[in-house]
C-alpha cells in the first residue's frame, strides 16, 4: 500500500516491510491507499520530541465494482472469468472484484465471440452494450483439372481455383 503524509508520498508498506519516518512536532494526516480498497486516513499528533506513534490500519474490504451488460444478440452466452453466467444473472449488475483483472466472454454459434478484459476500480459502474457480429467464412474450391465452372446457390461464382469469401457461417450453401 502507498503511504502519504500531509499529501506527500512517503513510500510503500507491506506486512513484511513496515515503513518508519521522522516527522516534526504537530498534527499530520497519514493516508494509506491501495487500489483495491478505500483509502484509510489517520490523524497523528506528535507533542514531544522523540515521540513514537505507530500507525496501524486494516484496509477495508474492497468496494466491489459492477458490470451492466446489455446483450443485443438473443441467445448469446456470457462467461465471467471462465464461469458461465445464467440469463437471470444478467438482469442485475454483475459484481466484480475491484482492482482485479476480469475476462468477460460473450459467444453464440454462428457469431464471432467478443472478449473483454476489464480491471475495474473500487465502486466503478461499467456499462457495455454488446451485439455480436455474424461470423464469416470462405469456401476454397479446387478441381483437377482447374477451370471448372462454380455456382453457389444457383448463381455463377467463377472458375476453379476459387475462394468464395464473406459467407455467413450460420447458413448452408449449395455449391
Amino acid at each position: 500500500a502507498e503511504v502519504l503524509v500531509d499529501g506527500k508520498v512517503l513510500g510503500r508498506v507491506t506486512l513484511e516491510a513496515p515503513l518508519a519516518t521522522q516527522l516534526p512536532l504537530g498534527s499530520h494526516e497519514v493516508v494509506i491507499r491501495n487500489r483495491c480498497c478505500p483509502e484509510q486516513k489517520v490523524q497523528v499528533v506528535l507533542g514531544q520530541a522523540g515521540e513514537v506513534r505507530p500507525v496501524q490500519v486494516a484496509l477495508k474490504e474492497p468496494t466491489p465494482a459492477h458490470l451492466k451488460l446489455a446483450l443485443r444478440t438473443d441467445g448469446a452466452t456470457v462467461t465471467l472469468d471462465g464461469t458461465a453466467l445464467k440469463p437471470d444473472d444478467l438482469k442485475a449488475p454483475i459484481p466484480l472484484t475491484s482492482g482485479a483483472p476480469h475476462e468477460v466472454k460473450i459467444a453464440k454459434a454462428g457469431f464471432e465471440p467478443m472478449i473483454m478484459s476489464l480491471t475495474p476500480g473500487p465502486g466503478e459502474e461499467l456499462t457495455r452494450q454488446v451485439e455480436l457480429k455474424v461470423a464469416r467464412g470462405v469456401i476454397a474450391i479446387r478441381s483437377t483439372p482447374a477451370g471448372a465452372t462454380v455456382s453457389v446457390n444457383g448463381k455463377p461464382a467463377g472458375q476453379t481455383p476459387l475462394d468464395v469469401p464473406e459467407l455467413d457461417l450460420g447458413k448452408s450453401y449449395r455449391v
Side-chain angles (χ1 to χ4, degrees), residues 46-171:
L46 300 174
Q48 299 177 21
E51 185 176 1
V52 175
R53 290 281 179 138
V55 174
Q56 290 185 319
V57 297
L59 293 176
K60 295 179 181 176
E61 286 293 316
T63 303
H66 290 90
L67 172 63
K68 294 179 184 177
L69 272 181
L71 296 180
R72 296 188 172 177
T73 306
D74 289 337
T77 60
V78 178
T79 59
L80 172 62
D81 300 329
T83 301
L85 299 180
K86 298 174 190 163
D88 285 346
D89 296 338
L90 304 175
K91 292 179 181 176
I94 303 162
L96 301 173
T97 303
S98 58
H102 296 280
E103 181 181 270
V104 179
K105 182 177 180 182
I106 299 103
K108 182 178 179 179
F111 291 81
E112 294 179 18
M114 176 180 280
I115 298 174
M116 294 184 281
S117 296
L118 307 169
T119 305
E124 191 171 356
E125 298 287 335
L126 304 170
T127 301
R128 299 291 187 271
Q129 295 185 7
V130 178
E131 184 170 358
L132 298 178
K133 294 179 181 177
V134 173
R136 299 286 187 192
V138 175
I139 296 176
I141 304 166
R142 306 292 180 257
S143 68
T144 304
T149 300
V150 176
S151 63
V152 177
N153 288 343
K155 296 180 182 175
Q159 293 185 330
T160 61
L162 178 67
D163 291 341
V164 182
E166 292 297 310
L167 297 174
D168 183 339
L169 292 181
K171 295 183 179 177

Side-chain angles (χ1 to χ4, degrees), residues 14-49:
T14 66
L15 290 174
E16 298 81 26
L19 185 63
T21 189
Q22 292 184 350
L23 298 172
L25 297 178
S27 180
H28 303 279
E29 181 182 65
V30 178
V31 177
I32 293 93
R33 64 181 175 198
N34 191 341
R35 64 183 213 161
C36 77
C37 309
E39 68 181 26
Q40 302 293 305
K41 294 181 182 180
V42 177
Q43 201 67 28
V44 176
V45 179
L46 300 174
Q48 299 177 21

